[in-house]
Amino acid sequence: MNVVFVLGVLAVGLASGALMSWAAGRVVDAPVARPRSFLVGLLAYAALSSIVTALADAAGLAGSDGESLAVSWGVAGLFVALAFAWTFALGVAVLVVLEILWPSGSVPGPLATLRNLSTLWRSSLRSMQVARIMSRHGLSALAVRPGRGAGVGDRQRRVARSLVAAMNEAGVTFVKVGQQLSTRADVIPAEMATEMSSLQAKATPVAWSDLEAVVRAEGRALALLPRIEREPLAAASVGQVHRATLDDGTRVVVKIQRPDAERTVRLDTILMESLAARLARSAPWAREMHLPTLARGFSQSLRDELDYRIEADNIAMLGSGSPHTTLIQLPRVYPELSSRRVLVMSEALGVPLGAAGETLARLGDEARTRLARALIEHTLTCILTHGVFHADLHPGNILISEDGGATLVDAGSVGLLDRRLRELLVGLLAAAMGDDGELATTLLLQVVRNRPHVSVEPVRDAVGELLTRARCSPTSTDVIVHGLLDIVREHHLAIPPGLAAALRTLASLQGSVAALDPGVDFMASAQKLLPTLLGAEVTPTGLTSQVLRQAVTSAGLARVLPGRLESVTWQADTGALLDRVRPLASPTERAWLERRWADAISAFLAGVIAACALWLIGLDTGPLLTPTVRWYAFMGYVLGLVAFLLGMRVLFRQVGAVHAASDR
């Protein structure tokens, strides 16, 4: 009997939940999650008996003995139906409120919550650990933005040194973020970028047995396992590099992802985004830098770094767009042996440029000059001609070999420029080299995405001052590129990411060229190369190609132009053109107005019905339905239910519209 009773209760609760789910879905115009509907239905069913009992006592439905009825069964049925209707309406209201506050699917289910408990616990522990590290290094000063004037650079350097020390102690993920941030001179001051460039992503080597398990799990490089050296060549934050030998004797390197890399990056990126949001709420400089947006971008970049297939694709893109030269090389990727966590490449022989003092000394001045000019030509060709370039050309990613060549490694960051941006960058550089501040300002503002919010005169003045300083500086290119990045940052100019990456690459290239041969004039070399690089566009073949492209485009427009003119003429003759420019001519606009009008009428009716309900309930005259309730009062309770339903629909439709608009 008990089992039958329980099953009956569950069945009624399920049926009630299904009805409430259907009604709530009609109100919010979206499906409602079944588990919450079933739960609310059970609670409503459980509350119904208590509501009926309280209503029976208040209305005097029970007889003096407490067991018999003082009214007819029909009257008692009316009150039970009223209680059920009000309970059902309140249940629907609860479901709608839950759906608006926590839409179906936005809250993880119980199983997902249990799976995430360990992650949440580890994230909390990690958060406290990083907070202690930041406090230990005195980073509460980050809540105050460094001011302008004398001593600003010193304050920024002190904050940057504290931040670098904290990042080194916090671990590999924060070190990688700092390294990426050091290349973003468009968003952080030059003093901070310089300090952060000293961050090192070295890590303790992982035991070979753990890495072997990764190789076996990935599967593609299984045949290479016996010929992989157990001693690592390098150990970094995300991966570890080992030498190996192919069947034909070719020397290669195998980059294997650390087993805990994905979990570490996931925890630290969650923490980093939370910290950025907290700083944005308390520190003006963080809000000015749009720190939460930067943190999300860096987090995505770190997650991309976990997939070695992206790096392999980047190397392939760079190889297809790089000029053919024996001095500047890229590693060769073996895609048949590579996978998401294992990357097999040809071994790049050489020493990083930043530590290649002895190698450069052995090469001699002539070889160093030749290599520096080859690096300039290679980079400018990639940026200005092909639009695909290595976006992280700091000295650590340029390996110098004993034969005077260079290999570009770590292609995790690749920049892309379309034809329009390439042409604009050429014009911007030419204007800057020619000391034409007006043209440089015009070209820079052409690509600014937040142009309506930018004050032009301060930008023009800043560009003019920059070009004047550059003309009087022995390192004019360094001044121009870093100065443009400073202007972008200080005036909050939203420029395309590809253009920002190209400017950052040119800034890094200037430093690398100076390390190779301080005597090479970067600006003079670039000015000599520009006509050669752009020669394909001004030769007869190049001009013919441009004319053909424009002719094809014009021919396509010419084919459709008569039809377009005929359509406009017909619409003007028939009045359809005026109809299309009239207010509310669009079906969407009319539908919106119709919904607003229907909601206004419903709200008015709900108010009128509610007023009538209150008036009827307050009347002291009329026939008695029960010993304590009059017919007019009962009708007032029914009208109150109708007013509640109408008002609830209007209210929740308006709230839903506000939520939808905010989401857009």
Side-chain angles (χ1 to χ4, degrees), residues 135-217:
S135 176
R136 192 157 52 242
H137 290 280
L139 289 177
S140 58
L142 285 176
V144 181
R145 179 190 176 191
R148 296 182 180 273
V152 172
D154 292 336
R155 285 196 296 271
Q156 289 175 340
R157 277 189 287 271
R158 286 197 299 271
V159 172
R161 282 194 289 269
S162 298
L163 191 57
V164 166
M167 284 180 164
N168 272 320
E169 187 176 345
V172 293
T173 304
F174 288 90
V175 169
K176 294 293 292 184
V177 171
Q179 288 177 328
Q180 292 184 22
L181 200 57
S182 70
T183 67
R184 295 298 304 270
D186 57 320
V187 293
I188 65 172
E191 294 84 0
M192 297 188 75
T194 301
E195 292 292 336
M196 287 187 179
S197 64
S198 65
L199 284 163
Q200 299 296 323
K202 295 179 180 178
T204 303
V206 179
W208 170 249
S209 58
D210 295 333
L211 295 179
E212 183 179 2
V214 174
V215 176
R216 292 187 181 279

Side-chain angles (χ1 to χ4, degrees), residues 87-106:
T87 304
F88 183 83
L90 292 173
V92 172
V94 169
L95 273 180
V96 172
V97 169
L98 291 175
E99 191 64 26
I100 290 176
L101 296 178
W102 300 285
S104 297
S106 63

Side-chain angles (χ1 to χ4, degrees), residues 272-303:
M272 181 175 59
E273 292 180 19
S274 173
L275 180 61
R278 191 181 309 167
L279 283 173
R281 289 193 295 268
S282 60
W285 68 267
R287 289 191 295 273
E288 184 177 304
M289 286 173 54
H290 304 287
L291 198 59
T293 302
L294 280 175
R296 287 192 294 271
F298 288 138
S299 297
Q300 185 59 50
S301 177
L302 287 171
R303 286 190 288 269

Side-chain angles (χ1 to χ4, degrees), residues 484-508:
L484 286 174
L485 291 171
D486 288 340
I487 291 172
V488 167
R489 184 186 70 253
E490 292 173 4
H491 293 272
H492 312 294
L493 305 182
I495 64 175
L499 183 60
L503 292 174
R504 293 195 305 270
T505 300
L506 291 176
S508 299

Side-chain angles (χ1 to χ4, degrees), residues 98 121 143 160 219 239 254-255 264 275-276 397 406 425 471 583 591 626-627 638:
L98 291 175
W121 173 250
V254 184
K255 186 176 179 181
T264 301
L275 180 61
N397 285 340
L425 181 58
R471 190 176 65 249
T626 71
V638 174

Side-chain angles (χ1 to χ4, degrees), residues 381-522:
T381 302
C382 289
I383 293 176
L384 301 179
T385 303
H386 301 291
V388 181
F389 56 93
H390 196 304
D392 193 14
L393 277 183
H394 63 77
N397 285 340
I398 303 174
L399 302 185
I400 307 300
S401 63
E402 293 289 345
D403 61 359
T407 302
L408 309 183
V409 297
D410 194 4
S413 178
V414 168
L416 300 174
L417 281 180
D418 60 23
R419 173 180 289 273
R420 182 181 67 91
L421 289 179
R422 294 200 302 272
E423 293 174 351
L424 183 139
L425 181 58
V426 170
L428 184 61
L429 292 176
M433 293 174 183
D435 195 19
D436 191 340
E438 186 69 28
L439 178 58
T441 303
T442 301
L443 292 172
L444 180 61
L445 293 178
Q446 276 186 11
V447 293
V448 171
R449 295 177 174 178
N450 57 339
R451 176 66 187 272
H453 306 287
V454 174
S455 181
V456 177
E457 291 303 321
V459 176
R460 181 181 290 112
D461 293 342
V463 171
E465 293 175 4
L466 167 65
L467 298 187
T468 301
R469 282 190 287 110
R471 190 176 65 249
C472 303
S473 171
T475 56
S476 54
T477 304
D478 189 55
V479 172
I480 288 174
V481 175
H482 282 95
L484 286 174
L485 291 171
D486 288 340
I487 291 172
V488 167
R489 184 186 70 253
E490 292 173 4
H491 293 272
H492 312 294
L493 305 182
I495 64 175
L499 183 60
L503 292 174
R504 293 195 305 270
T505 300
L506 291 176
S508 299
L509 178 63
Q510 167 73 19
S512 298
V513 169
L516 277 172
D517 186 354
V520 172
D521 188 333
F522 183 91

